[in-house]
Every structure is written in structure tokens, then in C-alpha cells.
């Protein structure tokens, strides 16, 4: 605590020995470093030292809410945005960073007063006129503009704001969301969102959560407003603009609506599909309420106030993504297995979010195991058949799921398949009853929070009532393939 508050006084000039001693005394006494009425802060860290993406995210504050207002012109590809970020300082702050790739910042304010802003790589630094006190809530506003450029991931996939023939679609796992809005783009900092989209008439503008407004502007453009009340990691934010055919139904929310494990009372299920794939995808889109009801039986209450799916034309998205409440799919991967996978992520990944990118197997292992469970319960293929298939494949043994060798390997088969194998071995070890309790208890315990691999192994052991080191050593952390399944 004293360390982060100790600095050399760059903004106030060199300190005398006596002043420094007084300051040290004040710090020792736990007093704040107030001089001349203002609090003296330090710059927040430029990254959260994620093991794979050290510069992702920023220190010194915790975002509570993003209000993004985006106007998009599909003809020119130009995006005009305002991001209003409500955050709480977690240290005395003289400046803080936001992650933003490309685009031009036109202006910034903090609590209504103009703030100096500076760009260096993907870091945008805001320096408010007055330092922000530890614990204070503040509002930063950034106005920006430009043609967003997608980024190429460590694994070679394109993500971020991706242009289509008639609009755009945005996906961001792990880093792409910084291509379309400034923010604290690490999964550890989840926040509520309101996303307001203004687009030419005739186009849909979809995003996460509940649609709360749709209005025609005086100039004829149409504005749609989306509200995500539950916390969301920024990699799960999405936008889909273009011609889409939509279908809405209000499902009776699956699961309990009262009591300590309550889910939402009713669930708007909104799906959208590119016109070329609307008819072909309608039947499967119609299965979403039933799949969610089945998953609710296994995983507990659905964690969000809305649901749905967005099916895009092939050729734009490099992958399907479990974007919160409304996963997005390239048409070619909109099949039941992938749908089950992305819907399972609403519990595993979206509600319980990895503490760092190293913990990704908690997302992908669970979502893959959810496919195996679904096949076992509704398609007559036992999970052990999937386990045996995965065990036999060499690609799944390249590295242990809990320790991918580099960012490049984050989404490789061991994270998915071997991650699911860990869960199957856990099931065999603790028995079906305890395993079922883990499937419901894990998303309940870390609902709308972040969790690490250590949190999971500790939780599983607490349910099992015993140490499971032997299991983790071999299946979660062990190099290479065990002699026997
Ligand atoms: N989470 C997505 C899934 O459902 C995959 C995201 C892949 N991202 C990437 N950069 N390769 O499996
Ligand atoms: Zn997945």
C-alpha cells in the first residue's frame, strides 16, 4: 500500500527532505497524501500482467458500466463512437489507461472536465485535471472516430470489428474488442453495458442483452438500444449490423424464478440470421429455449435476462463465439453441437469468467463436456465414447490444458478436448452424484464473478470431500498421455 503511493513528486516539483519525511509519516499513519487540498495519485498500470497478454487490461480502477453510443456507416466503414465509462478507482490515480487499437480519439473528459489524452500503441492514457481518490467513482468519456481495423490473433484468426457486405460484426476473444471501443479489456474487469447503435434505415443493429429502445432519428437513421444488466467481460460484447431476419419469442424462463438460485422470470429469446441462411437456420434457432431448459436442469438457473443467437454469412467470422446472451455463428458452424457448446458457455465462461487467459480450459473444457453430456442424455452417445475418442487423438496431448505453452496455443485442442477429459475423469473419480453437484454448484458459487483453475480444483475437492491431487497431476497438469485412460 505504501509502495504504490510513494512517488517522486513529478507534478509538484522536488520535495524537501522534511516534506518527504512528513509524507512518509502520513503514509505510516494511514492518512491520505493530501497536499494543498488535492489528492496525489499515481498512474494506473498499463496492463494486468496476464500470463499470455500482459498489456491487456489496466490497473488502478474497476469499470462498473460502459455506455457505448456508436454510429456506423456501412458504406464507408466509418464508426463514430462515444464511450462513457463509469468506474471506481482502486488507488489514488493521477492517470489511467484504456485499451484501444486504431481509431482516432477526438476528446476525453473525466467527471465532465476535459482530460488530457495520449496514445501509445494500444494504450490510451487519460490524465484528469485532478487526481482521483482511491475508492471514488468517476465517469470517463471518450469520443472517437475512424474505420475500425480487425486484429490478427496470436493464433492467426481475425477478430474485432469485421466488415461485411452490408454492415459489420464484432467478436473479441481474446483481444478484439479494443478495435471498436476503449475499455479495460481484460476478462477480470466485468461490467454492465448499454450499447446504442445508430445505422442507416433498413438495417438491423443487434447486440447483447435486452433491446430497450428503437427509434428513428430525424435524419432517417435508426437507433437501437441494448441493455446488459449482468456483468459482462469485454471479449463477450458483440455488435451485428446488416440485413438480418429476426425472430423473437418470450420463453418461460427455465428453472426457478424465486429463491436463492433464481433465474430471470421470463426470457426474451431473440435470434437473427443473414437472409441467405434465415430459412435454413430457423428450425435450429427454434430449439434454443429447449436446449436452455435442458442445460438449466444440469447447470442451474440461466444467468442472464436475455438469450438468442446471431447467424452470419460465411466468410466473415473466423469462429463461433459465445457472445453474452446472444452467441454469434458463421453459418457453416451453426449446428446443434456448436449451439449446445455456445449456450453452455453462458454458464461456463460468461457468468463464471476466467480470472486470466490461462484459465481458459474452464470455459472450453466445460463447454465441450456440455456437448458430451448433451449427446449422452439426448442423443444416445455416452460421454465415455467421446472421452475414448478424445483419448485416442494425438493432437489432444500436445500440452496440459491448464498450461498452454503460449498465446498461440490458447484455443488448441488440448484446452477443449483434454479440458473435457479432466471433467470426465473427475466424474469417474467422485461419482455421478457429486459430479452433478459440481456442475450446478460451480456456476452458482462463482455466478457473475471470475474464477481460476485453483478455485476450481479447491471447489471440486470440497464437494468430493477429499484431496484429488492424483487426478489433477495427471489429467490437468501432466505432460503427455497417460498410459491408460
Ligand atoms: N470461445 C470460442 C468457442 O466457442 C472460440 C474463440 C476462438 N478465438 C480465437 N481467437 N481463436 O470455442
Ligand atoms: Zn467454446
Amino acid at each position: 500500500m505504501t509502495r504504490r503511493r510513494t512517488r517522486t513528486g513529478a507534478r509538484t516539483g522536488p520535495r524537501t527532505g522534511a516534506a518527504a519525511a512528513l509524507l512518509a509519516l502520513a503514509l505510516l499513519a494511514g492518512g491520505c497524501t493530501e497536499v494543498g487540498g488535492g489528492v496525489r495519485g499515481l498512474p494506473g498500470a498499463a496492463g494486468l500482467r496476464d500470463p499470455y497478454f500482459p498489456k491487456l487490461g489496466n490497473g488502478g480502477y474497476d469499470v462498473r458500466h460502459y455506455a457505448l453510443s456508436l454510429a456506423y456507416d456501412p458504406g464507408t466503414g466509418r464508426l463514430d463512437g462515444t464511450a462513457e465509462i463509469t468506474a471506481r478507482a482502486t488507488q489514488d490515480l493521477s492517470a489511467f489507461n484504456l485499451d484501444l487499437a486504431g481509431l482516432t480519439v477526438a476528446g476525453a473528459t473525466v467527471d465532465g472536465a476535459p482530460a488530457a489524452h495520449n496514445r501509445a500503441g494500444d494504450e490510451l492514457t487519460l490524465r484528469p485535471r485532478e487526481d482521483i481518490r482511491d475508492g471514488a467513482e468517476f465517469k470517463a468519456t471518450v469520443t472517437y472516430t475512424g474505420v475500425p481495423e480487425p486484429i490478427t490473433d496470436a493464433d492467426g484468426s481475425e477478430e474485432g470489428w469485421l466488415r461485411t457486405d452490408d454492415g459489420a460484426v464484432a467478436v473479441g476473444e481474446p483481444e478484439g474488442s479494443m478495435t471498436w471501443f476503449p475499455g479495460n479489456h481484460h476478462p477480470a474487469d466485468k461490467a454492465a453495458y448499454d450499447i446504442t447503435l445508430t445505422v442507416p434505415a433498413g438495417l438491423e443493429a443487434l447486440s447483447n442483452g435486452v433491446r430497450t429502445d428503437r427509434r428513428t432519428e430525424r435524419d432517417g437513421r435508426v437507433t437501437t438500444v441494448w441493455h446488459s444488466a449482468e456483468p459482462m467481460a469485454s471479449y463477450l460484447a458483440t455488435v451485428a449490423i446488416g440485413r438480418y431476419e429476426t425472430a423473437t419469442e418470450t420463453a418461460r424462463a427455465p428453472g426457478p424464478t424465486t429463491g436463492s438460485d433464481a433465474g430471470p422470470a421470463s426470457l426474451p429469446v431473440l435470434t437473427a440470421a443473414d437472409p441467405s441462411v434465415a430459412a435454413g437456420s430457423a428450425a435450429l434457432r427454434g430449439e434454443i429455449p429447449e436446449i436452455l431448459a435442458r442445460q438449466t436442469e444440469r447447470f442451474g438457473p440461466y444467468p442472464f435476462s436475455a438469450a438468442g443467437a446471431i447467424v452470419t454469412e460465411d466468410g466473415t467470422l473466423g469462429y463461433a463465439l459465445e457472445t453474452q446472451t446472444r452467441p454469434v455463428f458463421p453459418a457453416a458452424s451453426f449446428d446443434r453441437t456448436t449451439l449446445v457448446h455456445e449456450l453452455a458457455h453462458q454458464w461456463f465462461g460468461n457468468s463464471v469468467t476466467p480470472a486470466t487467459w490461462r484459465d481458459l480450459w474452464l470455459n472450453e473444457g466445460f463447454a465441450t463436456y456440455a456437448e458430451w453430456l448433451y449427446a449422452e442424455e439426448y442423443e444416445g452417445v455416452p460421454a465415455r465414447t467421446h472421452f475414448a475418442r478424445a483419448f485416442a487423438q494425438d493432437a489432444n496431448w500436445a500440452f496440459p490444458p491448464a498450461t498452454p505453452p503460449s498465446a498461440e496455443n490458447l484455443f488448441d485442442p488440448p484446452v477443449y478436448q483434454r479440458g473435457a477429459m479432466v471433467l470426465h475423469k473427475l466424474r469417474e473419480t467422485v461419482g455421478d452424484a457429486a459430479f452433478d453437484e459440481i456442475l450446478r454448484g460451480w456456476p452458482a458459487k462463482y455466478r457473475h464473478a471470475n474464477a481460476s483453475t485453483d478455485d476450481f480444483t479447491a471447489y471440486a475437492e470440497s464437494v468430493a470431500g477429499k484431496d484429488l491431487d492424483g487426478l489433477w497431476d495427471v489429467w490437468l497438469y501432466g505432460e503427455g498421455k497417460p498410459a491408460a485412460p
Side-chain angles (χ1 to χ4, degrees):
M1 180 156 129
T2 46
R3 216 187 52 167
R4 65 175 160 77
R5 289 189 178 181
T6 306
R7 54 169 233 169
T8 48
R11 300 181 49 183
T12 50
R15 271 191 206 110
T16 65
L22 265 175
L23 178 63
L25 209 66
L27 286 167
L28 277 173
C32 57
T33 58
E34 245 169 302
V35 176
V39 58
R40 259 199 218 135
L42 291 172
L48 291 176
R49 303 190 189 195
D50 184 272
Y52 298 91
F53 303 95
K55 283 166 60 180
L56 212 54
N58 303 285
Y61 65 95
D62 176 17
V63 179
R64 293 294 169 84
H65 180 258
Y66 291 90
L68 308 177
S69 298
L70 310 175
Y72 188 59
D73 178 358
T76 60
R78 183 184 155 117
L79 179 71
D80 286 294
T82 302
E84 214 176 81
I85 300 169
T86 307
R88 198 180 56 82
T90 55
Q91 65 172 67
D92 292 338
L93 272 179
S94 60
F96 60 92
N97 279 15
L98 298 163
D99 303 315
L100 180 66
L103 304 168
T104 302
V105 172
T109 65
V110 173
D111 289 331
H117 54 92
N118 180 57
R119 303 288 301 274
D122 297 339
E123 300 290 337
L124 164 65
T125 303
L126 300 193
R127 183 175 287 277
R129 260 194 206 153
E130 281 177 22
D131 291 2
I132 303 166
R133 185 188 294 272
D134 188 6
E137 190 169 285
F138 63 96
K139 192 182 274 186
T141 304
V142 179
T143 50
Y144 58 100
T145 185
V147 177
E149 290 283 345
I151 56 178
T152 305
D153 275 342
D155 65 9
S157 50
E158 292 273 287
E159 66 176 40
W161 188 274
L162 304 166
R163 255 177 111 165
T164 60
D165 291 348
D166 56 1
V169 53
V171 290
E173 189 182 25
E175 292 191 283
S177 294
M178 65 166 86
T179 65
W180 57 281
F181 67 97
N184 198 5
H185 289 297
H186 188 277
D189 191 1
K190 305 208 284 184
Y193 283 70
D194 283 280
I195 299 179
T196 300
L197 303 170
T198 301
V199 301
L203 300 182
E204 288 287 339
L206 301 143
S207 187
N208 315 87
V210 177
R211 186 166 58 203
T212 54
D213 192 22
R214 180 182 237 161
R215 56 179 186 259
T216 301
E217 304 291 340
R218 271 187 218 131
D219 63 10
R221 290 182 301 168
V222 174
T223 295
T224 313
V225 184
W226 298 90
H227 178 60
S228 293
E230 300 88 10
M232 175 162 80
S234 77
Y235 76 91
L236 297 166
T238 191
V239 163
I241 294 168
R243 275 181 286 275
Y244 282 94
E245 286 180 23
T246 64
T248 317
E249 48 185 306
T250 305
R252 193 177 51 81
T257 55
T258 56
S260 61
D261 62 346
S266 80
L267 196 60
V269 181
L270 188 154
T271 66
D274 184 89
S276 66
V277 294
S281 64
L284 187 56
R285 284 188 282 141
E287 287 186 36
I288 290 173
E290 188 180 12
I291 295 171
L292 289 176
R294 291 170 167 183
Q295 292 183 328
T296 294
E297 278 176 36
R298 296 305 255 131
F299 311 143
Y302 181 71
F304 303 109
S305 321
I310 299 169
V311 187
T312 68
E313 237 178 337
D314 284 318
T316 302
L317 289 173
Y319 51 77
L321 185 63
E322 63 267 25
T323 44
Q324 196 149 303
T325 70
R326 201 156 288 120
V328 292
F329 302 82
S333 53
F334 191 60
D335 53 45
R336 188 173 295 102
T337 302
T338 311
L339 179 58
V340 164
H341 178 108
E342 306 308 343
L343 294 178
H345 272 309
Q346 305 306 313
W347 285 260
F348 305 108
N350 298 9
S351 174
V352 183
T353 303
T356 76
W357 286 111
R358 178 178 280 152
D359 306 306
L360 184 67
W361 80 275
L362 290 169
N363 288 12
E364 302 305 346
F366 266 105
T368 303
Y369 202 69
E371 299 170 28
W372 298 3
L373 273 178
Y374 198 87
E376 174 166 293
E377 285 163 25
Y378 303 103
E379 293 164 356
V381 184
R384 83 181 114 74
T385 302
H386 279 105
F387 175 88
R389 258 182 230 162
F391 189 82
Q393 272 160 17
D394 286 347
N396 297 333
W397 299 102
F399 56 82
T403 54
S406 74
E408 204 179 310
N409 307 107
L410 210 47
F411 295 93
D412 282 0
V415 175
Y416 288 71
Q417 301 292 323
R418 213 180 137 179
M421 279 190 266
V422 172
L423 296 172
H424 191 74
K425 291 308 289 185
L426 173 63
R427 176 178 171 186
E428 285 185 353
T429 307
V430 304
D432 279 2
F435 186 70
D436 290 352
E437 189 182 333
I438 292 168
L439 283 181
R440 290 179 67 96
W442 171 247
K445 178 161 178 161
Y446 289 93
R447 183 178 167 89
H448 297 316
N450 292 88
S452 67
T453 300
D454 286 347
D455 291 329
F456 179 71
T457 54
Y459 175 73
E461 291 180 353
S462 76
V463 174
K466 61 178 180 202
D467 188 294
L468 298 168
D469 280 348
L471 176 69
W472 314 132
D473 285 351
V474 174
W475 294 90
L476 186 53
Y477 294 108
E479 294 287 344
K481 182 173 176 173

